Amino acid sequence: MIECPEEKVVEILKNNRIDIAATLPCDRIKALLPLISGSIDTIPLTREENGVGICGGAYLGGKRPVMIIQSTGIGNMINALLSFNQTYGIPLPVLASWRGVYKESIEAQWEFGKKLPSILDAAGIKFTIIKKRDELDGMDLAIKDAFDNLRPHVILVSPAVWESSSCNVPEPLEITPRISELDFKSVIRKPKIARYDAIKVLAGVVDDDIIIANLGIPAKELYEIKDRELNFYMLGSMGLASSIGLGVALALKRHVYVIDGDGSLLMNPNALVAIGSYNPENLTVVAIDNAAYGSTGNQETATGSQIDLELLAKACGIAGTVKVHTQDELKEALLKKTGFIHVIVKPVNAKCKEIPISAREIKQRFMKAICL
Ligand SMILES: Cc1ncc(C[n+]2csc(CCOP(=O)(O)OP(=O)(O)O)c2C)c(N)n1
C-alpha cells in the first residue's frame, strides 16, 4: 500500500527524465504540486493553453516537459493540442486531475468531466484513465507513449488516487508587501512602415538566432524574405507564439526572437505574464502592431485606440521595453536584444504564397539545426 501516492508520481516523472512541469492547481492535487515544484523546474501557469506553448517550446529546445492541471483545463487547450502538438508531432504528457466523476459536489464540474473521455476520443487525443492507486504505473506508460510517438497523451487521474494520502499540504504564502510605481509616457505616431519591412529588418540581423513566427501572413512573409532552418513557422495555435518563444528561451542559451501580433497577444496576454516572471535575457518579443487582425482581412483590434501593448508588457513585469516606428529604430532595438519591442506598422499585407513545407518538416529541420 502506498502511503503517499504523490511521491510515487514524482518518482515516475523523474524516472522518465521529466525536467519541466507547467502547472495550474486543482484542489485534489494540492499535496502533489508542492512536491513537484520541490523537485522539478516548475512553471506556474495562468491559463492552460499558454502551458501548451511553453512546454512545446521547451521540447523544441531539448527538454522533456509535462503539464499538471485540472481536467477542466483541457477545455482551454484543445485547439492547441490539435493544431500544434498533433500537427507538428510534439509530445506532451498531461496529468489531469479528473473532476466531475468521483465524489464530485461541484455541479459545474459534472458536464465537462463526464464528457471528457468522449471529447478526447472524438479529437483523436490519446488518454489513459487512472482510477486507483495501484493503476499509477499507467502514468509511466502514458508518458513513454507521448515521447515515443510524438503526441499529446492525457492522463485522467481520479481523486480516488489521492484519498487519505499522508502527504502534507504546506502553509500558503502571503502577498509580498510592495509599492508599484510607473513612470511611463508613450507616443504612438502615424505608422510609416509595414509588417513586411519590420520582418526584413529582423531577418537582416539574425545570425544563428532563432525566430518563432506567428501564424498567418507574418510566417509567410518571413518565409519569403528569408527562409532558414532556425525559423519556426506557426501554422495554427493562435496566441502561442510568445509562449513557444519563452519555452525555447528557457531551454536553450541561444537568442530567440518572436514575431508576434497585436491580435494574438490580446488573445493570450498570459504569455506576457509568464515572460514577465522570468524575463529571460535571450528572448525578444517583436510585437508587430498593425492594430488589426491582418491575416484575416484587417479587422480592427483594441490596440488601434485603447490598449498600448508596451504598457501591457510593462504591467506584466517585462523588464526591457521600447516602442519603434521606423526600420532604423527597430534595428537598434533588435541589436540591443530588448525584451519587448512594440513595432507600430500599417495594416498592409504582402502578397505571399503558402509555406510549402509541412509542419513536421518545420519542426524536424528546426530541431536538427539547433543540434538536438
Ligand atoms: C483561435 C483562432 N481564432 C481565430 C483564428 C483566425 N486567425 C488567424 S490569424 C488571425 C489574425 C492574427 O492577428 P495578429 O496577431 O494581429 O497578426 P497579424 O495577422 O495582424 O500580423 C486570426 C484572427 C485562428 N487561426 N485561431
Side-chain angles (χ1 to χ4, degrees), residues 79 195 214-215 218 238 261-264 267 290 292-296:
N79 170 45
R195 185 204 301 106
N214 200 17
L215 83 167
M238 180 174 165
D262 46 298
S264 301
M267 179 174 277
N290 51 10
Y293 296 104
S295 299
T296 47

Side-chain angles (χ1 to χ4, degrees), residues 49 79 83 195 199 214-219 221 235-239 259-267 288-299 301 303 345 347-349:
E49 189 184 37
N79 170 45
S83 67
R195 185 204 301 106
I199 295 178
N214 200 17
L215 83 167
I217 296 178
E221 289 184 347
L235 304 171
S237 59
M238 180 174 165
I259 299 171
D260 216 330
D262 46 298
S264 301
L265 281 165
L266 292 179
M267 179 174 277
I288 303 188
D289 186 357
N290 51 10
Y293 296 104
S295 299
T296 47
N298 285 328
Q299 302 85 357
T301 70
T303 64
V345 302
V348 179
N349 298 315

Side-chain angles (χ1 to χ4, degrees), residues 3 11 21 62 67 93 153 156 160 162 169 188 265 267 271 281 304 344:
E3 295 298 324
E11 190 188 307
M67 281 185 68
H153 194 132
L156 296 174
W162 321 112
V169 180
I188 295 179
L265 281 165
M267 179 174 277
E281 279 182 6
I344 305 298

Side-chain angles (χ1 to χ4, degrees), residues 124-190:
I125 296 171
K126 274 295 268 186
F127 65 97
T128 294
I129 291 177
I130 304 222
K131 285 202 169 142
K132 2 189 232 330
R133 282 180 192 192
D134 60 10
E135 292 171 9
L136 272 176
D137 286 337
M139 189 177 293
D140 180 64
L141 296 176
I143 295 170
K144 289 187 168 57
D145 173 74
F147 287 100
D148 291 349
N149 296 306
L150 307 177
R151 60 186 175 189
H153 194 132
V154 175
I155 307 153
L156 296 174
V157 187
S158 166
V161 169
W162 321 112
E163 249 176 1
S164 61
S165 159
S166 61
C167 259
N168 294 324
V169 180
E171 289 297 310
L173 293 176
E174 281 184 5
I175 197 163
T176 308
R178 63 198 189 279
I179 297 169
S180 302
E181 272 183 301
L182 193 62
D183 180 14
F184 177 75
K185 181 176 172 187
S186 107
V187 179
I188 295 179
R189 294 198 302 273
K190 198 171 159 50

Side-chain angles (χ1 to χ4, degrees), residues 48 69-77 97 99 108-109 112-113 116:
E48 292 82 356
I69 58 170
Q70 182 176 105
S71 56
T72 44
I74 307 280
N76 298 341
M77 292 159 58
S97 168
R99 299 297 299 271
Q109 295 281 4
F112 190 70
L116 186 50

